[in-house]
Amino acid sequence: MNRPRRQPTAPAADRAGEAASMTVETVILTPVVFVFVLLIVGGARYELARQQIVGDARNVAETAAVAADAPAAQAAAGAVTPGSGPPPGICVTRTVTVNVADFAPGGSVTATVSCRVDLSTVFLPGVPGTSDLVASETAPVDRYRTVTAGGAP
């Protein structure tokens, strides 16, 4: 049986041009995809740092709310270590403030944690700028407890 031979769809010269065009596309798109992936990773690290600052504020507020009196609440809040906070090096400066103006049975304690993030540690080395992350959380003071001015029940 003689079957007719199948003719190539494109001449060999055209196929070589297509291969060169694929190389050019790869060379152009690889850096774009790489930068896009780095932006996604940097954004995820920034969001993780923000969530950890919120967790720190919650921990500080809850610790201060169970203290015996307002000065003890301030001291307890200052003693809370940033356990769930951002990894070392993310925060350039970290400040914790506690508002105990409503520290009474049924009142509340508000903790604010702020962190200045150096963007070169989050994204890529050399990226200029900083960003301030601030989180504020409020914890209730138990309404059925005794709070005295001297700290003794």
Side-chain angles (χ1 to χ4, degrees), residues 31-45:
V32 172
V33 170
F34 184 69
V35 167
F36 185 68
V37 168
L38 286 178
L39 285 174
I40 289 172
V41 169
R45 289 189 63 192

Side-chain angles (χ1 to χ4, degrees), residues 28-85:
I28 291 173
L29 288 179
T30 300
V32 172
V33 170
F34 184 69
V35 167
F36 185 68
V37 168
L38 286 178
L39 285 174
I40 289 172
V41 169
R45 289 189 63 192
Y46 183 82
E47 182 61 23
L48 178 64
R50 190 192 67 76
Q51 289 175 0
Q52 290 171 336
I53 292 297
V54 170
D56 277 352
R58 185 178 314 112
N59 289 342
V60 169
E62 290 173 354
T63 300
V66 297
D69 59 2
Q74 291 279 6
V80 173
T81 59
S84 66

Side-chain angles (χ1 to χ4, degrees), residues 21-135:
S21 134
M22 285 294 291
T23 303
V24 170
E25 288 175 11
T26 303
V27 166
I28 291 173
L29 288 179
T30 300
V32 172
V33 170
F34 184 69
V35 167
F36 185 68
V37 168
L38 286 178
L39 285 174
I40 289 172
V41 169
R45 289 189 63 192
Y46 183 82
E47 182 61 23
L48 178 64
R50 190 192 67 76
Q51 289 175 0
Q52 290 171 336
I53 292 297
V54 170
D56 277 352
R58 185 178 314 112
N59 289 342
V60 169
E62 290 173 354
T63 300
V66 297
D69 59 2
Q74 291 279 6
V80 173
T81 59
S84 66
I90 297 288
C91 283
V92 178
T93 58
R94 181 178 181 269
T95 57
V96 177
T97 57
V98 180
N99 182 357
V100 291
D102 193 22
F103 194 86
S108 63
V109 175
T110 301
T112 303
V113 177
S114 62
C115 167
R116 177 160 287 176
V117 176
D118 183 11
L119 295 180
S120 67
T121 61
V122 174
F123 291 103
L124 285 174
V127 174
T130 59
S131 177
D132 291 331
L133 297 175
V134 179

